[in-house]
Amino acid sequence: MQRYLKVLRLFWSTAIASELEYRINFLIATVSSLGNLVGSLFGLFLFYRTGYSFSGWSWEAALVVLGIFTLLQGFSATFLAPNLNRIVRHVQEGTLDFVLLKPIRSQFWLSTHTLSPWGVPDLVFGSMIIGYAGKRLGIRIDNYLVSLVPLFCGLVILYSLWFILGSLSIWFVKIYNVTEVLRGLLEAGRYPIAAYPPTYRFFFTFVMPVAFLSTVPAEVMLGRSEISWLIGAAILAVVLFFVSTWFWRFALRFYTSASS
C-alpha cells in the first residue's frame, strides 16, 4: 500500500506541474463550468417558475440533486476523463504494451496516472449549491456526513461503468463514442429521478443506475432515504468494482499487443 501511495503522489504532482504550465486553461474551465451551471439552473427554474414541483422535491431539494450532479461532473473531469479516455489511445497506439510491463497493476496505472485540475471549478460550484440549499433546508452536519457514504458509492459506480466501457477497446478499438453515450445517459442525474415517467425511472435505477449517483445521496442528505437504498448502493458499488477488475483481466487475455 505504501508503494502505491508513493507512486500516486508522484503521478499527481507531475500531472499538476505539467497542467499548471497553461494556467489560462483554468480560467477557461471556470467560465465553461459556470456556463454549464447557469444552463442547468435555468433548466430547473423552467419547471419550478409556475409553482410546479417534482413529486416530493421542493426547489431547494432539487438543488441538492443538481449540486451532487455537479460534484460528479467535477470528479469525472478531474480523475476519470483524463485517465479512462486514454485507454482507447493506448490500445490504438500500442503503448498499452509498456503499461503492462510496469511493476504495478495495470488497472491502477490506467486509472490514476494523471489528473486534470480543470474539474475543480465544478467541485467548488457543486459544493456551493449544496451548501446554499442545505442552509435553506436546515440540513444538519450529521446528514452531510452520512451522505458521504452513498456519494462515495456513486463515485465507485461511475468509475466502474466507465472502466468497463474503456476495457471494450481491447475488442473494439474505436469505442470512444460509447463513453460519450455513457456521459449522455448520466446527464439524467441532473434532476431527481421522480422527474421522469415510471418506465424511465425503472431504466435509470435498475438498468443504468443513474439514481444511485445523485438522487440516492440527495435523499440521504435530506434525511428521508430508506436504509435499503443505502445498502443497495453499497452492494452495487462493490459488485461493479470487482466486475470491472475481472472484466479487465478477462479482456487482457485477448490483447495481442501492437507487435503481434
Side-chain angles (χ1 to χ4, degrees):
M1 179 61 69
Q2 260 188 342
R3 181 166 66 98
Y4 278 85
L5 290 176
K6 289 181 180 179
V7 171
L8 193 62
R9 185 169 63 251
L10 180 62
F11 280 167
W12 289 358
S13 60
T14 304
I16 292 174
S18 176
E19 292 287 349
L20 289 181
E21 293 181 7
Y22 311 96
R23 298 180 184 179
I24 191 65
N25 288 352
F26 185 78
L27 178 61
I28 296 174
T30 301
V31 173
S32 176
S33 297
L34 186 59
N36 289 334
L37 180 60
V38 170
S40 298
L41 288 171
F42 180 72
L44 192 62
F45 171 75
L46 292 178
F47 287 104
Y48 283 85
R49 64 186 178 88
T50 59
Y52 172 83
S53 63
F54 303 132
S55 179
W57 293 88
S58 64
W59 164 254
E60 289 80 8
L63 282 181
V64 173
V65 177
L66 180 58
I68 292 175
F69 175 79
T70 306
L71 285 179
L72 290 172
Q73 278 190 319
F75 173 78
S76 299
T78 303
F79 299 102
L80 300 187
N83 288 294
L84 303 189
N85 284 350
R86 294 187 180 184
I87 297 178
V88 178
R89 192 195 311 173
H90 284 305
V91 175
Q92 287 177 330
E93 299 177 357
T95 52
L96 183 60
D97 295 7
F98 303 106
V99 176
L100 298 177
L101 291 174
K102 297 182 184 298
I104 194 172
R105 288 182 180 271
S106 57
Q107 183 174 358
F108 176 83
W109 194 98
L110 292 169
S111 302
T112 64
H113 180 247
T114 188
L115 58 79
S116 173
W118 316 135
V120 171
D122 277 330
L123 296 174
V124 174
F125 292 146
S127 301
M128 290 173 61
I129 293 175
I130 293 173
Y132 168 78
K135 185 176 181 181
R136 295 287 300 271
L137 292 169
I139 298 177
R140 302 191 308 270
I141 186 65
D142 56 325
N143 291 79
Y144 285 117
L145 294 176
V146 173
S147 67
L148 292 177
V149 176
L151 181 59
F152 175 76
C153 292
L155 298 179
V156 175
I157 291 170
L158 180 58
Y159 160 78
S160 301
L161 291 174
W162 205 319
F163 193 84
I164 289 171
L165 287 179
S167 301
L168 290 174
S169 61
I170 298 294
W171 294 281
F172 312 102
V173 179
K174 296 181 179 180
I175 201 71
Y176 178 78
N177 290 336
V178 174
T179 60
E180 292 302 311
V181 172
L182 173 64
R183 295 176 68 175
L185 289 172
L186 295 178
E187 288 289 323
R190 194 182 299 270
Y191 306 111
I193 202 67
Y196 302 98
T199 303
Y200 288 91
R201 293 181 204 171
F202 179 86
F203 178 81
F204 288 131
T205 302
F206 300 105
V207 180
M208 179 60 63
V210 175
F212 292 96
L213 302 181
S214 56
T215 299
V216 172
E219 288 186 331
V220 172
M221 190 177 295
L222 296 170
R224 63 190 194 191
S225 177
E226 298 179 4
I227 189 64
S228 57
W229 285 104
L230 191 58
I231 296 174
I235 293 176
L236 183 61
V238 172
V239 169
L240 282 178
F241 179 78
F242 281 105
V243 167
S244 70
T245 301
W246 170 84
F247 190 74
W248 174 246
R249 293 175 179 174
F250 174 74
L252 287 179
R253 298 178 185 175
F254 297 87
Y255 180 66
T256 55
S257 85
S259 59
S260 60

